[in-house]
Structure formats: C-alpha cells, structure tokens
Amino acid sequence: MKGRKSSMPPMPSINVTLITGAASGLGWAMAQHWYAAGHHLVLADIDEQALIARARELEDSARVMTVVTDITQIDDIAALIEQVSERFGRLDLLVNNAGITHRSPAHQTDPAVFRKVMAVDWQGAVELTMAALPMLRESKGQIICIGSMAGWMQFLDGQHTVRQKVRWPSSLKYCAWS
C-alpha cells in the first residue's frame, strides 16, 4: 500500500556467509547461489583438494575464503572463527551443512560409528554455532541447520521392505536463543 509504513522490521543485509560441507553437494550448490547473490563466502570443508577446486571455480579471492576444517575438532572450529573474524570482521549467516551418514542395522553397528556420526552431524554443528554466536549476535545474523530427512523418513532397502532409521537429535534452537 502506497504511503503506509511496514510494521515488519527490515531484514538485515547479509554479507558474510559461512558454509560447512561446502566443497560438494548441497553445500556447493548453496555457495554458488549466495555467491551469485553477492555474498562474501567462507567455504569450510574437510576435503582440501575439493576446496581448492571450488575456489578456482569462483575465481574471486576478495570475496571467497576457503578453510580446511574438521568440525569434530574444537581447535579447527576456533581457527575457522578466528580466520573469519580476521578476514571479514563479521559473520552474517552460518550454514551448518556438514554431515555424514551410515547405513547398517543398529544391532550390527559399532558404537564408534554412532559416535562419529553424532560428532559430525550434531556436536560439530552445536560447537561451531556456539563459537560463532558472538559475531552472529553483533551482526544480528542468522543460522541455518541442514539435516537429512533420512533420519526420520522410512525408506526401502535392497529387499524392498520398509525400514525406519534411528532418529537423531537435530535441534540447535537452544544455541540460537541463549
């Protein structure tokens, strides 16, 4: 309506976007999208060679930084956040996208596999979010957490029978609201 002010507060301008698991799949697709939208990107992934290839594809060292990061390692998380702060001085959007999966019947799965999946898919995202909160609060930034629907959807196995995978905790709300 002409002449009326919106009651919605203006959305903050998102300038610096950090994406984990950025070297392939959905992470890379999001990186390309936000790059085209003009964002400065921090691409984090455990795969150094893939990150190098992605940086070459974007060919913009002023707007794109790559950081080899294992989000299960607290020292890597601290180094990542420090590099973002030093390079860009802010963080506007954190995308917790890194993840792994494992498929086997629960009774045949080594507990170490469950620990590794949880370390990457849940604990790493929680710890990265907590480390990034000061910058996100300052910029009034946002957090996006990507999770697989395979954790709660039924799927067909090789014998065309339906199985239900174990449900994993997937909420990081308590991090964002603290």
Side-chain angles (χ1 to χ4, degrees):
M1 292 184 206
K2 201 172 188 176
R4 288 188 61 183
K5 290 187 177 185
S6 170
S7 61
M8 296 285 296
M11 290 296 292
S13 172
I14 296 175
N15 298 321
V16 179
T17 299
L18 165 57
I19 306 167
T20 64
S24 63
L26 182 60
W28 175 235
M30 288 185 291
Q32 292 173 301
H33 169 79
W34 281 312
Y35 180 80
H39 294 223
H40 291 74
L41 298 178
V42 181
L43 307 179
D45 202 289
I46 198 167
D47 187 341
E48 182 176 15
Q49 294 306 312
L51 278 176
I52 291 168
R54 297 309 186 199
R56 280 191 203 125
E57 287 182 56
L58 295 178
E59 297 180 354
D60 191 345
S61 61
R63 283 181 43 211
V64 178
M65 177 174 73
T66 60
V67 183
V68 177
T69 307
D70 178 345
I71 63 165
T72 68
Q73 301 300 311
I74 196 69
D75 291 343
D76 280 15
I77 290 172
L80 172 61
I81 295 301
E82 184 177 329
Q83 289 178 52
V84 171
S85 180
E86 287 175 5
R87 173 77 179 272
F88 295 113
R90 65 180 294 134
L91 179 60
D92 301 291
L93 177 61
L94 169 62
V95 182
N96 286 305
N97 173 66
I100 60 173
T101 188
H102 177 81
R103 290 186 183 180
S104 66
H107 70 281
Q108 295 175 354
T109 304
D110 185 319
V113 172
F114 291 120
R115 284 191 291 276
K116 179 68 175 178
V117 170
M118 291 299 291
V120 174
D121 292 1
W122 190 77
Q123 190 67 33
V126 168
E127 291 186 15
L128 178 56
T129 300
M130 298 302 290
L133 275 178
M135 282 197 297
L136 290 166
R137 283 184 175 144
E138 188 174 318
S139 69
K140 296 183 178 17
Q142 300 175 13
I143 303 165
I144 297 174
C145 297
I146 305 296
S148 170
M149 291 174 52
W152 59 270
M153 286 185 65
Q154 295 182 340
F155 64 95
L156 297 175
D157 70 9
Q159 290 79 37
H160 305 291
T161 58
V162 175
R163 291 197 185 170
Q164 179 72 27
K165 287 183 72 174
V166 175
R167 289 185 178 188
W168 299 109
S170 62
S171 175
L172 292 176
K173 289 179 184 174
Y174 71 90
C175 292
W177 297 106
S178 58

